[in-house]
Amino acid sequence: MTTDPFLLHGTRAVDAEPVRLVAGPLSADFVNGNLRTIGHRSVEVLRAVAYIVRDRDWGTYEPVLADLVIEQGDDRFSVRYSASCEGPGGSRLDFRATIEGHADGSLSFDVSALPESDFETNRCGFCILHPIAGLAGSPVKIEHTDGSVADTKLPLLIDPWQPFKNMRAITHQVRPGVSAECRMEGDIFEMEDQRNWSDASYKTYVRPLALPWPYVLPAGQTNRQTITLRITGDEKSTAATAGTEPVHIELGAAGAKLPDIGVVMYPEDVAAALGNLSLVSKLGPQQLLLHYDPTRGHGLDALRAHTRIAAAFPAKTTLECVVACAGDLDVELFGVAEMVRQAGLRLDAIAVSPSVDRQSTPPGSAWPACPPLEDVYAAARRAFPGIRLGGGMFSYFTELNRKRVPAGELDFITHCTCPIVHAADDLSVMQSLEALAFITRSTRAIYGAKPYRIGPSTIAMRQNPYGGATKDNPHGQRIAMANRDPRHAGLFAAAWAIGYAARVAPAGLEMLALSSFTGPFGVLAESGEPVAEGSPRPIFQAIKGLCELAGLAHVAAKTSDETRVLALAGRSASGETVVWLANLTADDVPVDVSALGQGNLIVSPYAIVRIG
């Protein structure tokens, strides 16, 4: 077993170890002041109940806990602590929390917050996360703040807006005969479909987004909120304990071809890529995604840089072209086309998106001024005749789901994802893989069989649609919305990449991009990493494996526990089947691969294994 956290995560800082709270059949993990993995007889009831304070850019404060007291007995547990958040200009928010759980299936989480001075925030209060596995599309009962009750369903396809508003309580079935009611007091709650951001949850949160934000909590005025969970029903029912038996692999029928693998290339990274051309060639991507953004000062020199890498490496090329939309569209796009000609850059495709569409437009607000997308796409078609035209969003599925593009004008649809929009702990990042199948199904429901690309999708955030900028991360921490993430340099990223490809494989993508060559999203190491500068990061092997699978027929591959191991399989024209396994956990996992003609094996933490 690999125990060095530096090799696993690219940093020796480790996630906070959870404290397991148990009261009879009720259980929960206490982490950094909040509750995770709330279960009843080993069935996950809620993914989290967390008290969250966010700044004006939707960044999350990390309060320091004090006066922590944890008490556990056979039939109850309790937690008490105090904490504070330090805001800009010396502002401060103090709060006290009490958590109590009982063997009868009841749980309460109560927080009283007191601003020492006026405190600015975008959100201050509870977030409740319902899991998606087994719950998506299932019946729920919603009690509203006016006392009315509605029998409805959680969305199966991803809802672009809030499925439920003005909530006081939500009740769902945990398993046959057992239900869970979650009641919220102290403010007005509503739910958003967090699968939009590739979170594996439905999130019920405090304060409607239709209200102004940021807002101010007045000094000296106490804000109290309480979440109460009640699990009722057949106490004699049991559920199997997961995580102890070997994971079994099962192969199914062959289907569509696995996608080309692309890498994104920024002009400033070209020199480093050319300096490591032998490794670039060994990686073997089928596509180069060449980023061009006039709002970042890109012009003829940037396109000449792209020409150098495209000439040195034989792959299809797509220009990812941000459109400034600052004047006449024909003038702008024909100007780009002329610079492409001057640079001698050969293109197989171009994808275009207005610069303003990279910013999110939350519910209740209007999209910023932008020419009609029909006009943008028509101008691009005129400027670049004879090559394929793509569009969608250079940001995330959230924006594509909320602003439906006129796909009839396009040859392919594209978007990205990022797993650290809301949370950056190891568990949340790996759990985000669960949401990807819902993202691809929802995209297919909107855009049908239109050729479909995803990426570049990386653990770190390359742009922040939800605030002024991404977060700098000079100390290599686990930070939401950070522009670099230490795990990209560790084994963690390799497992995440194989898991990502496995989750989206049934969608029949034509291209998937999960990295660049160099830089914070690259397959080659920078200084201070677990491997020497310029040598392959662990993710290199994962991307290389995906490149080798490209074009093979996708073979349906299931595992008996997809929270621990995911499998991706492809079959060649000669009938050879190649299977990649990814351990998504920090523990050794036994895997039964008898279905693949082998016996049992132990897969090390975050390891990827090729069979065949």
Side-chain angles (χ1 to χ4, degrees), residues 160-183:
W161 310 109
Q162 303 99 316
F164 311 127
K165 296 181 178 181
N166 300 319
M167 298 171 64
R168 179 179 292 163
I170 176 172
T171 303
H172 76 278
Q173 180 177 275
V174 176
R175 56 183 179 273
V178 179
S179 64
E181 179 198 73
C182 184
R183 184 165 293 274

Side-chain angles (χ1 to χ4, degrees), residues 443-490:
T443 302
R444 285 297 188 203
I446 299 167
Y447 300 106
K450 178 72 65 175
Y452 178 18
R453 300 181 177 191
I454 293 180
S457 295
T458 56
I459 297 175
M461 177 179 270
R462 69 170 185 155
Q463 61 187 44
N464 183 4
Y466 317 110
T470 56
K471 303 289 186 183
D472 290 330
N473 191 11
H475 303 298
Q477 299 172 295
R478 294 168 175 83
I479 300 175
M481 299 187 180
N483 49 28
R484 59 176 58 235
D485 190 287
R487 288 165 294 194
H488 187 84

